[in-house]
Amino acid sequence: MRVAIASGKGGTGKTTLAVCLAHALGERRERVTYVDCDVEEPNGHIFLKPTFDEGAPVELLVPSDHVEGCTACGRCTEFCEFNAIVNVRDTVIVFPDLCHGCGGCILVCPERAIVEKAHGVGVIERGRVDGIDVVRGTLTVGRPLAVPVVRAARAAAPDGGITVIDAPPGTACPAVEAMRGADRVILVTEPTPFGLHDLDLAARTVRELGLESSVVVNRCDVGDAKVRDYARRMGIPVVGEIPHDRAIAEAYARGDPPCRVSRAFHDTVARLADKITNGGGGDPA
Amino acid sequence: VKELVVISGKGGTGKTSVIAAFAALAGESVLVDCDVDAADLHLILDPADSRPRVFIGGKVASIDRDACTGCGRCAEACRFEAIVLHDPHGNGGARYAVDPMACEGCGVCSFVCPAGAVSLNEETSGEWTISETRFGPLVHARLLPARGNSGKLVTLIRGAARALANGRHASLVLADGPPGIGCPVIASLSGADAVLIVTEPSLSGLHDLERVTELARGFRMTPAVCINKWDLAPDVTETLAAWCGNEDVPVVGRIPYDRAVTDAQVRGVSVIEHGEGPAASAVRDVWERVGAVLGLETEGEE
């Protein structure tokens, strides 16, 4: 069972919900893995505080600049959809940060002049804390492509047990990659115009992926009632509402899981954990 | 023309509320919303209707089911897990299909297919618009759900904003950046004149501030930092300020937590228009100092 915690808007509480859900599932003696797929700005470790004892680089196979036998025929340049390889006089220059690692240039080179080399784009770390397996994907600063790191983080989770995926904000490729293969998606939002607008985008994205979503409304007593109306109209179940609470904000600031200081947060997560452990794969959480 | 980009690393720190307030304070500027997959600035700026233009982000493969012989070479060659078995028990054998969500449009499948069954087609990935607002023109975009190539769209709309500013003799472009440090953020920073990071006092905020500062420095830019909701955790605010001090990153202001910010958003106005209050007054100070520290002209109607 894979549960993705996502949102359109950033800063709505994805990470704290994901972390507390992982704790709640761990307390129910489930085999649980928390995967931080917000690889541009991973924060789950701040709350979980695991010891990472394993790490592996995420590498993309990109063409090497070292091309022996290149006749500068230009086929690789023409084939590359990402402008990652260009002809300069009698050779080619590679821009590894533009390369998606498709391997096309190698396939089309009639001289077999292109060889691949590993280009580090990030790192996957594994650790453990309080019975929770923790996987963290981190994009190397300056590298533009988050998707390969998200993919590697997702792949690092075991098949069995329950996997809680902490997705990045937005609706673009990194968020989509994080949600792929999930059994259910929980969208965290807040009842403001920005929250509503981005919830709508996220819910559409989830639908395009062929998945169903449910919603947790964080800071449910600020803003207005439009998020609730929207969820009702769209038939998206609201599975939790957490009031604004200074104690939650303070715990968050210190890096403590808010389920330890807020009854509302704790109960919301407990209900979700019960649904996930009892409900099977059927209706969305 | 000078361009100020507001980014945050961490999402939800208040970038858009800050930039909307800057728009109100700047008088005439050109605004651009670079958070193309979750753009919110238009909710405050209330742009007039205008004709959207199509954005072609890239290509996507598709397999002609009738021409596919089921040999599977495309699936072997694809490095993005984008080729799926479509009809494994079909009468004529297996057939393959493309998962458009996973396809990166590289064309490898099309190249290796011996039956010529794969075509590569340009894909509409979103749209973008130039609209008039009460604070000047806004260039904004909308990436379709689950489409990629947001960096290319950001580059496109920033170029349009700069051209617009030149044409109208506006001296300032205000850009609302995306969260994170990936391709749309890199596309937002490249060639910008000044960068302001809006952060919040939490260990997550600090962690993300460190990463996004490193990214900005990679572009040889020194960002200025503004700490939003600083009084929610005064001790962490001090930690943030100390980190900035050590790193020679100027802190241009602290904005207190103020429900007026949310109230303004609900009303669809900037916090400046909402009326005087602790946050509005702090944002005014930030605006003054951003101009001074980053070398921008910030003389508007104020």
Side-chain angles (χ1 to χ4, degrees), chain B residues 203-249:
Chain B
L203 295 185
S204 302
L206 175 59
H207 173 266
D208 298 354
L209 171 65
E210 290 174 15
R211 285 166 62 78
V212 81
T213 300
E214 188 187 338
L215 183 72
R217 286 197 167 136
F219 284 91
R220 302 187 188 288
M221 303 172 86
T222 299
V225 167
C226 153
I227 306 171
N228 195 13
K229 300 179 256 189
W230 74 268
D231 52 339
L232 283 183
D235 52 333
V236 185
T237 290
E238 292 314 318
T239 309
L240 277 171
W243 183 85
C244 290
N246 284 336
E247 295 286 324
D248 279 328
V249 172

Side-chain angles (χ1 to χ4, degrees), chain B residues 6-7 32 35 63 86 101 105 112 115 213 234 250 269 279 289 297 301:
Chain B
V6 179
I7 54 173
V32 53
D35 191 2
I63 298 176
H86 189 61
M101 222 77 92
V112 300
T213 300
V269 297
R289 257 174 273 161
E297 289 279 333
E301 56 197 10

